[in-house]
Structures are given as C-alpha cells and as structure tokens.
Amino acid sequence: MKRPLRAIAAAGLLAAGSIVAVILGGNASADTQICEKFGSTVIGSRYVVQNNRWGTSAQQCINVTSTGFSITRQDGVAPTKGAPISYPSIFVGCHYTNCSPGTNLPVQVKQISSAPSSISYNYVSGAIYDASYDIWLDPTPKKDGVNQMEIMIWLNRQGAIQPIGSPVGTTTLAGRGWEVWRGSNGQNNVISYVAPSAIPGMSFDVMDFINDSRNRGAITSDWYLTSIQAGFEPWQGGVGLAVNTFSQDVRTGGTTTPPTTSSPSPSGTACSVKYTPTSVWDNGFTADVVITNTGTTTAGGWTMTYNLPTGQQITSAWNATVTQSGSAVTAKNVSYNGTLTPGGSTSFGYQGTLRGSYSSPTSFTLNGVACSRA
C-alpha cells in the first residue's frame, strides 16, 4: 500500500512539552527543528523541506540543515503490510500549493531536455523504512491535490515492506539494475523502481525514469512534471535517517548548456574544504566533501586531490568522478556542477571500506591550489 499526499496544514498547537520550530515558507539559515505535523521550511533559497507526518498522530521531528535534514524523533509504528506513517522529504516543484522558490514546475515532459539530480543518504540499522525518490506527474499543470502518476525510486528497503502493486520485470536505468513494480493506491497510479541493495548516494538524470515510465504507457509527453521529492517512508523507527545533500535541476527547451569541464586555469582556485564523515562502522564509512570557491574568479571545471589515511578504499561516489591510486584520491566535477563561482559551493561524497580506526584526510588542493579547512 501507499500513502496519499496530504495538504500542508497551517501551524497548530502541540502537546505540552513538545519541542518545535515551525517555519512555513521561511528560509532556514541554521539548523531548524520541525515537529509540527506538516511543518516546512526553505533551504538554499531553492528547496522545501517538509515533515509531512500524514499517517500518524504520534510525534515526529526532523532537524533541517543547510543541505538536507535528519529524523530526530520518531514515535509512530505502522504494520509492515500497510502504509508507512510519514514521508519527511526535500523537494522542488509544488506540493499541495507549497511551491519551492523560483521553481519552473509544473512543466510538460516534452519541454524537458534533462533533469540532472543527485542525492546522498545516511542510513541506520534496526528500523523499517524505504529511502525513496518520488517523481509526480499529472495530465494538467497541477499545483494542489493528488497527481495521477507517481514514480518511486527505492534506493534502500529495510524490513518486510514492499512497493504498491506487484513486480512486472526488471530494467537497467542510470547504469544500475532495478526491479519494476506497478500498481495503484486507490488515488493514483504508481511505478516503483527498487534497487536490489542499498544505494547510499546517486547522481543521475530523472528523465531516465520518466522516459521509461512513458515507454510503459503510464504517461505521455504532454503530461506535466509537478514535483521531485527525496526522503524516507518509515514504518518503525528511523531516528538518524538523513538526506545529507540533494540537488535537482529541471532543464527545459534544450537550450541549457551544462557547465564546462575544460582544464582548470593555470592560476588555480582559492578554496576551502569541509570534510565530514557522515557514517562510520566496523569496516566501512561514508563521507561528504563541501568545496567553496574563496577566490575572485570562476572555476570552469574543478579537480580536487588529496590522500586518504591508510586502510581506506573508496568503493562508490556521487556528484563527482572519483578515482583512487594507493592513498591518492582525485575527484573531478561532473557535467552539472563544474562551474564554481566566487563564494559558491558544491559537494560530493562517497562510500568506502575501512581497515583499522577511522581518521579524516588533512590536506586538499583544488586546481593545484592548497585549500583551507572550513
């Protein structure tokens, strides 16, 4: 089964003792705690983060950061054969009249040239949930209510849960294999693409999945893309689940030119780096790297180099092309994040294996220039 979408409600009173900061349509400049049932806030002047606790009266709280959010409280429990209890998420587009700032959605599918996207998650053990990318489409440019078509990309599934409907086959999209499910929740049709194992992060073109659904006869090119959302559907537990980073760009008309990936300027790029281990366990880790251009000129393509401590080996990456030789790491921009303007930032991340105790790298260079640590 699958949740129906719920309208974003006005701020209301909570039980005594509840901790809450409700921002509806505001812009979060620092960590913001949201416990209100349908509370939301804006980050990066572009994305909306929403609590969306639609399926339970139990308490759920999220901590919103400048790049994503994490679940900090989850009191609800739902049977695994039923619907989840909520969908805390980050999105672009329009969700029940709550539209992200500056969005060009809704837009007809036939007008979209590409929709590059990236996501990095933090997962936890002992909970029942899915990590889902939701893509909503409708025959009309709808900004409120339930859309007729939902595409779900399940990057992780934990526990005895399953998508709506039944499996109809497999496919390869975005360089990965997926099990495909089709069904209806009574309000809208759903196509789900389920990864065979957990994916902690991925960079891809959302149009790969939209075009596959169109080829299956679920939509036509005249339909409208209304929103793209990424988050979690918890059934039980989930404290610590997080969207670390999220980016989405819906490009129309075929006129948008991806950032150049030409060789960096010989003068290099002044920079600062924030390196964060987002998760560490006995034999592995994930890390997030935020690069900021602290210089006065734009970098038209970037390459970062550094050395990993002994015992660390990168196995997968997102938002950058990352290679490793011995301890030496080279990370290069991908097509959609190569332009780094003065004061601008971008990020990438990866998962790796670990032998021994964890430690972070200590020095970085960007286009040949040593970076300061943020």
Side-chain angles (χ1 to χ4, degrees):
M1 295 181 66
K2 179 67 173 65
R3 75 195 188 292
L5 288 174
R6 292 292 186 261
I8 298 298
L13 296 176
L14 295 178
S18 297
I19 300 174
V20 60
V22 179
I23 300 180
L24 296 177
N27 195 34
S29 58
D31 285 13
T32 300
Q33 189 88 345
I34 299 178
C35 298
E36 199 275 331
K37 192 169 186 177
F38 297 114
S40 70
T41 188
V42 173
I43 63 172
S45 299
R46 184 177 182 185
Y47 304 115
V48 176
V49 178
Q50 59 180 356
N51 198 24
N52 199 9
R53 180 169 50 90
W54 65 268
T56 179
S57 59
Q59 187 81 84
Q60 174 180 280
C61 297
I62 60 174
N63 183 63
V64 182
T65 68
S66 61
T67 60
F69 71 90
S70 62
I71 299 175
T72 56
R73 180 173 177 177
Q74 181 55 269
D75 295 344
V77 175
T80 57
K81 291 185 178 181
I85 57 178
S86 63
Y87 184 52
S89 61
I90 181 172
F91 72 87
V92 291
C94 295
H95 176 100
Y96 277 83
T97 71
N98 189 11
C99 296
S100 58
T103 184
N104 60 347
L105 303 180
V107 66
Q108 280 185 300
V109 170
K110 64 184 178 184
Q111 296 178 337
I112 303 172
S113 56
S114 64
S117 184
S118 67
I119 185 76
S120 64
Y121 285 107
N122 185 69
Y123 298 138
V124 298
S125 59
I128 298 176
Y129 65 91
D130 68 64
S132 173
Y133 229 89
D134 274 21
I135 304 162
W136 289 94
L137 302 110
D138 196 80
T140 65
K142 199 167 190 177
K143 294 184 179 181
D144 62 346
V146 178
N147 288 189
Q148 289 190 25
M149 186 68 213
E150 178 185 18
I151 299 171
M152 297 190 73
I153 308 172
W154 284 33
L155 283 81
N156 192 3
R157 171 171 55 169
Q158 297 296 316
I161 57 175
Q162 68 178 46
I164 293 167
S166 57
V168 295
T170 59
T171 190
T172 300
L173 296 170
R176 299 176 182 270
W178 307 87
E179 186 178 49
V180 184
W181 291 61
R182 292 192 70 165
S184 173
N185 63 17
Q187 290 192 312
N188 57 267
N189 296 320
V190 186
I191 294 182
S192 301
Y193 298 87
V194 182
S197 59
I199 301 173
M202 187 170 73
S203 297
F204 65 105
D205 191 336
V206 164
M207 288 304 296
D208 290 348
F209 294 87
I210 292 177
N211 289 334
D212 185 80
S213 295
R214 182 193 59 194
N215 294 339
R216 295 175 186 272
I219 64 168
T220 73
S221 295
D222 290 326
W223 281 44
Y224 290 81
L225 171 65
T226 64
S227 70
I228 299 173
Q229 309 176 353
F232 301 95
E233 292 185 318
W235 273 258
Q236 299 175 24
V239 171
L241 292 172
V243 171
N244 297 319
T245 59
F246 171 81
S247 68
Q248 179 64 61
D249 184 16
V250 179
R251 300 171 178 173
T252 60
T255 58
T256 303
T257 302
T260 178
T261 56
S262 59
S263 298
S265 165
S267 61
T269 304
C271 52
S272 67
V273 173
K274 182 179 180 180
Y275 189 96
T276 305
T278 54
S279 183
V280 178
W281 58 95
D282 289 344
N283 58 356
F285 70 100
T286 57
D288 184 61
V289 186
V290 179
I291 308 167
T292 301
N293 181 350
T294 59
T296 58
T297 59
T298 297
W302 53 264
T303 299
M304 170 160 282
T305 58
Y306 55 96
N307 290 311
L308 282 178
T310 301
Q312 297 182 18
Q313 181 67 46
I314 295 172
T315 56
S316 62
W318 47 92
N319 292 352
T321 300
V322 181
T323 57
Q324 181 176 353
S325 177
S327 63
V329 174
T330 300
K332 295 184 178 181
N333 66 274
V334 289
S335 62
Y336 52 83
N337 66 357
T339 299
L340 197 56
T341 58
S345 297
T346 190
S347 65
F348 67 94
Y350 48 79
Q351 181 172 344
T353 58
L354 176 65
R355 289 185 292 105
S357 59
Y358 174 84
S359 60
S360 297
T362 57
S363 60
F364 303 81
T365 63
L366 183 70
N367 293 352
V369 174
C371 298
S372 62
R373 294 296 299 273

